[in-house]
Amino acid sequence: MKNSIAFVLLSLTTSLFAQEANKVVYFSAKQMDVDLHKLALNNIGESEINLIERTPEHAAILLRRTASGKAEVHEHQADVWYVIDGGCEFVTGGTVESGAPESPGEIRGTSISGGDAHHLAKGDFIRVPAGVPHWVKKIQGKEIVYIVVKYEEK
C-alpha cells in the first residue's frame, strides 16, 4: 500500500515539475477523483493534489477533508474555494485562538472566536481575502471535496 501511495505522489509531483507556465494543464474529473481518494489522509484528515505548480504568487489545489482543521491566516494570499462535493461549517473573520506563525506569512491556531459562520455545500463559492482568518470548523457528512485557488493579494 505504501509503495502505491508513493508511486501516485511521485507521478503527481513529476507531472507538476514538468509543467511550464505557458502550457495548458488538464485533469479529468474522473482522474482527479481516483487520484485524490488513493492518497492517505494526513493528521487533520486531509489529502491534496496540486493542480498547478505552487509558488508564492499562486496555487490551485484539489482537497479532500474528513475532519476540521486548524484556523489559519494567509498574510499575502487570498483563497478562492469552489465546493465539488460534501460540505462544512466554515468560519471567516474573528480572532485566531492560540495563533502562531507556521511559516513565513502563514499563521495557524486552534480555532476562531467570533467571526461569521458559513455553511458551504456542493456548488458553493467563497473568496477569503488575504489577512482574513478562516477555519473549517465542522465537516457536514463524511467529507468535503473542493478546489482552492490561492493568489498573491498583498
Side-chain angles (χ1 to χ4, degrees), residues 1-13 38-39:
M1 179 68 173
K2 286 185 180 180
N3 287 340
S4 62
I5 291 171
F7 176 74
V8 169
L9 289 173
L10 179 62
S11 298
L12 291 170
T13 304
K38 281 183 187 176
L39 297 175

Side-chain angles (χ1 to χ4, degrees), residues 7 9 24 42 44 49 78 92-93 99 117 122 127 140 144 154:
F7 176 74
L9 289 173
V24 172
N42 65 15
I44 60 168
I49 296 173
T92 59
K122 182 177 181 174
R127 176 184 170 271
Q140 304 291 321
I144 182 171
K154 290 185 178 179

Side-chain angles (χ1 to χ4, degrees), residues 78-82 125-128 146-151:
D79 276 5
V80 176
W81 288 37
Y82 178 75
F125 170 93
I126 191 166
R127 176 184 170 271
V128 181
Y146 60 101
I147 290 177
V148 62
V149 175
K150 298 176 172 288
Y151 62 92

Side-chain angles (χ1 to χ4, degrees), residues 26-121:
Y26 170 78
F27 293 97
S28 72
K30 182 178 180 180
Q31 190 60 53
M32 286 189 295
D33 185 58
V34 167
D35 289 348
L36 190 62
H37 284 85
K38 281 183 187 176
L39 297 175
L41 298 171
N42 65 15
N43 62 341
I44 60 168
E46 181 181 78
S47 60
E48 64 181 49
I49 296 173
N50 291 312
L51 299 174
I52 64 172
E53 180 182 22
R54 250 181 156 154
T55 73
E57 291 80 32
H58 67 269
I61 309 159
L62 173 65
L63 293 111
R64 173 178 163 240
R65 187 177 283 203
T66 61
S68 62
K70 294 180 178 180
E72 52 188 58
V73 177
H74 313 297
E75 294 177 342
H76 307 288
Q77 286 187 326
D79 276 5
V80 176
W81 288 37
Y82 178 75
V83 180
I84 297 169
D85 200 20
C88 71
E89 183 177 340
F90 188 69
V91 179
T92 59
T95 304
V96 174
E97 297 293 323
S98 303
E102 190 171 88
S103 60
E106 299 291 323
I107 297 167
R108 300 289 187 274
T110 56
S111 62
I112 289 179
S113 62
D116 299 312
H118 310 272
H119 174 75
L120 300 184

